[in-house]
Amino acid sequence: MIGKEDFQALAAAAHFDLTEEEQETFTKKLQEIVKYMEKSLALDLDQEESFAFVHDKKNVLREDEVEPSFSQETVLANSPLSEAGQFLVPRII
Amino acid sequence: MEIFSSTAHELQQSIKDGELSVTEVVQGYINRIEAIEDQIGSFLLFMPEEALAKAQALDEQIAQGKEIGLLTGIPVGLKDNISTQGIKTTSGSKMLADYIPPYSATVAEKLGEGDTIMLGKLNMDELALGSTGEKSAFFPAKNPWDLDRVPGGSSSGSAAAVAAGQLPLALGTDTGGSIRQPAALCGLVGLKPTYGLVSRYGVVPCANSLDHIGPIARNVRDCALLLQAIAGHDPRDGTSLDEPVPNYQEALVGDVKGLKIGVPQEYFGPGVDSAIKTSIQDALKKLEEQGAVVEEMSLAQTDHVLTAYYILMSTEVSSNMARLDGTRYGYRDLTGEDVETMFIRSRTAGLGPEVKFRSLLGHFVSGPGGRQAFYEKGLKLRQLIIQDFHRALAHYDLLVTPTSSQVAWERKAVADNKGENYLRDFSTVGANLAGLPALSLPCGLVDGLPAGLQLIGRPLAETTIFKVAYTLEQMLKFPQELAKLEVK
């Protein structure tokens, strides 16, 4: 079961500030889904392999050549705040 | 016949024969959109002036002898999570309400190079998370067959627009059924291609190992035309397959003799509307009459499909959504004094409940407390499911299932606090997990609403899918009733 503290840790990790009502609804939904998963999670799959992708694994590389890229101005165009060619954010440390 | 009730290939022929100018075609659709958009809500951004300017330029080039390609002058719309350089791409989210991409998705470039005319960006469930269209942060798209019902989702605007005759063709994206399910609910043909056949470069990512871009159209021929225009290798997408693209139009022949079709019984359980089952059985009988071999069979791992999907999808979603923090683009709350507070306040205000919930689920199944074992298990379950499909497809050319267990349901019929909505994805997610091509074809009406059947094929066997879908389409004569929608 997912306790209130567990849930708050999840919300903090995901960077959300949730209302009491959201916490309640989401916890209930989470529990329903985890309960649904129980049967599959109980399978013994130790002998199975795990891959993250569906195709054969291979590295996709290109020649290490300089290609045109976006200008600083283009990259910063969508930034909520920028200054002197940089993204501007509040205090980090 | 009204311009808007034509199919893309009919329009293309008329343009080629000089019966219609591109401007006339585009104006025909603009008129249709303006007349009914208030009722449908499929467009997040409508671009009539830009479209007309391009149409006029194209007409001049055609007058000077420009060669007419497969989609020259055909209006299209893009789901709003497909990046368009200099044109707002919101992904249906307040977080990206003012986001203007500095580059275009490969599919958008290809459609531009193919001289299609983009009429706008289409409504969707926020960040492609949802299956009803009701999770758009702006307004819900409605089902043209019955405006009180959902069009399905998350490519809700793409399906609603094509079904309403606002567009002949649209692109959608499909992570767990988001092209096929709305196509089924709106009486359209929708294809999720083989993983890697269509480049995803420039699509706002949802779950990268499951995301696909594909066509939504009113018939199989149009669907094949649009796939032709967007398929092919792209070095900018590391998962793009370097394989030749066949001529899909050549597959459009009524010939299914000797093809082996498997019907997995697990997909016809008690949760599926019995009238939809009957309609699929009738379609299968027609294929048998044409010489196909239809057999009931089993996909033994079907029980685990949703668990694998929800673990992997939500983990990838939580990772992708983490980038939406207000730093480089998107909504930013300016009241926080430190960066952590800025992230939290921006994300809390900018993202909707579905995005929050799936991010939390992703953190839960991949997070600390021994639960990273869930993710590992999800990957292994996926392998079992892939093997299950590959075993079946070694024996059968195609598998047939329902696309959706129900026809379009009433809006707001399912409360947000229920896990029930998640179980509706059941029939479509397997093809995403296994990267297989899958197409939804309208197969009949149930209480006046469209039902869809799903054809799942071997990797890169889109031609086989098109051939069977085309054959069935000729026999089923599904009633495309665009005129049903009254212009108020």
Side-chain angles (χ1 to χ4, degrees):
Chain A
M1 278 298 106
I2 303 134
K4 197 163 181 169
E5 272 180 29
D6 290 341
F7 190 82
Q8 282 168 347
L10 277 182
H15 284 128
F16 293 125
D17 186 11
L18 302 174
T19 63
E20 281 288 328
E21 196 190 335
E22 281 172 324
Q23 293 188 32
E24 224 169 274
T25 318
F26 289 169
T27 307
K28 202 170 138 245
K29 266 167 79 171
L30 200 59
Q31 278 163 350
E32 273 181 53
I33 290 181
V34 173
K35 188 162 171 48
Y36 173 83
M37 291 177 172
E38 271 170 7
K39 193 171 133 197
S40 304
L41 291 169
L43 289 183
D44 177 5
L45 299 174
D46 287 350
Q47 302 307 313
E48 301 295 326
E49 286 189 277
S50 62
F51 301 121
F53 287 93
V54 292
H55 295 320
D56 296 337
K57 288 176 293 181
K58 62 164 192 207
N59 271 331
V60 178
L61 304 170
R62 68 166 175 83
E63 292 304 312
D64 187 16
E65 286 164 358
V66 177
E67 291 179 2
S69 62
F70 295 129
S71 69
Q72 212 173 37
E73 196 188 344
T74 306
V75 173
L76 290 170
N78 276 294
S79 168
L81 279 178
S82 62
E83 196 178 282
Q86 298 171 67
F87 295 106
L88 191 64
V89 293
R91 184 167 54 82
I92 291 179
I93 37 172
Chain B
M1 192 164 73
E2 296 271 9
I3 282 174
F4 68 77
S5 54
S6 310
T7 62
H9 68 269
E10 287 165 352
L11 292 170
Q12 198 262 354
Q13 196 58 48
S14 300
I15 293 170
K16 210 169 183 171
D17 296 345
E19 289 164 12
L20 283 175
S21 70
V22 176
T23 306
E24 284 169 316
V25 169
V26 170
Q27 190 63 56
Y29 280 95
I30 289 173
N31 295 347
R32 176 68 170 172
I33 294 166
E34 285 174 344
I36 62 170
E37 176 57 10
D38 281 357
Q39 301 173 67
I40 307 290
S42 48
F43 279 78
L44 290 179
L45 184 68
F46 175 39
M47 304 167 65
E49 284 147 30
E50 294 86 340
L52 276 175
K54 190 172 174 195
Q56 280 155 10
L58 208 50
D59 278 329
E60 282 165 28
Q61 290 168 9
I62 291 169
Q64 286 161 15
K66 182 186 172 82
E67 203 180 315
I68 294 171
L70 286 177
L71 289 176
T72 300
I74 305 299
V76 294
L78 305 184
K79 186 177 180 178
D80 205 24
N81 58 350
I82 297 172
S83 297
T84 40
Q85 185 179 8
I87 299 166
K88 242 196 248 182
T89 300
T90 71
S91 216
S93 179
K94 292 231 160 91
M95 178 58 96
L96 297 174
D98 299 312
Y99 174 67
I100 299 175
Y103 65 98
S104 283
T106 297
V107 290
E109 278 181 358
K110 284 192 170 209
L111 289 182
E113 287 159 10
D115 288 325
T116 63
I117 310 279
M118 187 173 76
L119 272 171
K121 303 297 293 283
L122 303 170
N123 207 350
M124 57 184 286
D125 287 299
E126 182 175 8
L127 291 154
L129 302 176
S131 52
T132 65
E134 294 166 301
K135 304 270 193 278
S136 165
F138 303 106
F139 47 85
K142 294 167 195 161
N143 192 319
W145 288 79
D146 179 345
L147 297 173
D148 292 328
R149 290 175 189 268
V150 301
S154 65
S155 307
S156 48
S158 305
V162 177
Q166 294 176 312
L167 289 169
L169 295 172
L171 286 185
T173 63
D174 189 317
T175 302
S178 284
I179 287 173
R180 290 159 287 158
Q181 182 256 24
L185 269 45
C186 290
L188 302 168
V189 180
L191 173 76
K192 179 201 87 63
T194 304
Y195 189 75
L197 179 65
V198 175
S199 164
R200 289 101 43 87
Y201 176 76
V203 71
V204 177
C206 176
N208 309 56
S209 80
L210 301 160
D211 290 345
H212 301 69
I213 299 178
I216 294 182
R218 284 186 25 230
N219 60 33
V220 178
R221 186 176 291 281
D222 281 5
C223 183
L225 266 179
L226 188 49
L227 179 66
Q228 197 81 54
I230 59 172
H233 181 238
D234 178 11
R236 295 181 295 186
D237 176 355
T239 59
S240 173
L241 293 171
D242 196 358
E243 299 282 343
V245 177
N247 182 338
Y248 297 117
Q249 298 294 309
E250 286 173 4
L252 305 178
V253 287
D255 176 19
V256 295
K257 207 163 275 171
L259 276 179
K260 291 189 81 172
I261 294 171
V263 186
Q265 291 309 289
E266 291 83 354
Y267 284 77
F268 292 81
V272 183
D273 184 328
S274 58
I276 295 180
K277 285 186 214 172
T278 308
S279 139
I280 294 173
Q281 296 303 345
D282 291 347
L284 289 169
K285 273 185 209 131
K286 291 203 157 56
L287 285 177
E288 271 183 321
E289 285 163 19
Q290 296 299 307
V293 180
V294 178
E295 284 176 10
E296 291 187 359
M297 41 77 75
S298 170
L299 281 171
Q301 305 297 343
T302 302
D303 257 3
H304 308 304
V305 162
L306 276 178
T307 298
Y309 175 71
Y310 276 102
I311 290 174
L312 302 178
M313 178 273 295
S314 66
T315 301
E316 295 183 31
V317 162
S318 70
S319 169
N320 279 318
M321 300 308 152
R323 83 187 66 193
L324 301 171
D325 59 14
T327 304
R328 290 157 298 156
Y329 46 78
Y331 172 77
R332 184 191 292 188
D333 179 288
L334 295 168
T335 61
E337 285 177 4
D338 58 72
V339 80
E340 189 80 3
T341 313
M342 177 194 102
F343 291 161
I344 293 172
R345 290 188 185 163
S346 303
R347 287 168 60 75
T348 301
L351 298 170
E354 190 65 27
V355 181
K356 288 174 184 162
F357 178 69
R358 295 209 202 186
S359 294
L360 290 167
L361 179 61
H363 276 273
F364 181 77
V365 298
S366 61
R371 290 192 311 265
Q372 58 271 53
F374 279 45
Y375 180 67
E376 183 73 16
K377 215 139 207 185
L379 291 177
K380 290 182 172 183
L381 286 171
R382 179 186 210 160
Q383 286 309 310
L384 291 185
I385 292 156
I386 291 174
Q387 288 159 13
D388 205 21
F389 272 112
H390 283 193
R391 257 194 310 270
L393 288 164
H395 190 69
Y396 296 99
D397 294 288
L398 274 182
L399 306 175
V400 171
T401 76
T403 308
S404 168
S405 56
Q406 296 166 59
V407 291
W409 52 92
E410 284 180 15
R411 297 163 58 212
K412 297 183 181 140
V414 181
D416 269 349
N417 58 358
K418 293 268 194 254
E420 189 187 327
N421 251 355
Y422 296 96
L423 304 182
R424 292 180 199 257
D425 287 339
F426 156 73
S427 301
T428 46
V429 300
N432 296 75
L433 287 166
L436 301 170
L439 176 142
S440 182
L441 180 79
C443 61
L445 291 175
V446 172
D447 299 330
L449 295 165
L453 70 76
Q454 176 177 235
L455 301 160
I456 305 172
R458 294 173 186 152
L460 294 172
E462 277 80 4
T463 44
T464 311
I465 290 182
F466 282 140
K467 189 193 284 185
V468 175
Y470 180 79
T471 307
L472 257 181
E473 185 179 54
Q474 306 308 307
M475 291 186 292
L476 292 174
K477 298 192 175 20
F478 177 79
Q480 292 274 0
E481 292 179 65
L482 289 173
K484 198 170 181 171
L485 190 74
E486 283 172 35
V487 177
K488 279 182 191 156

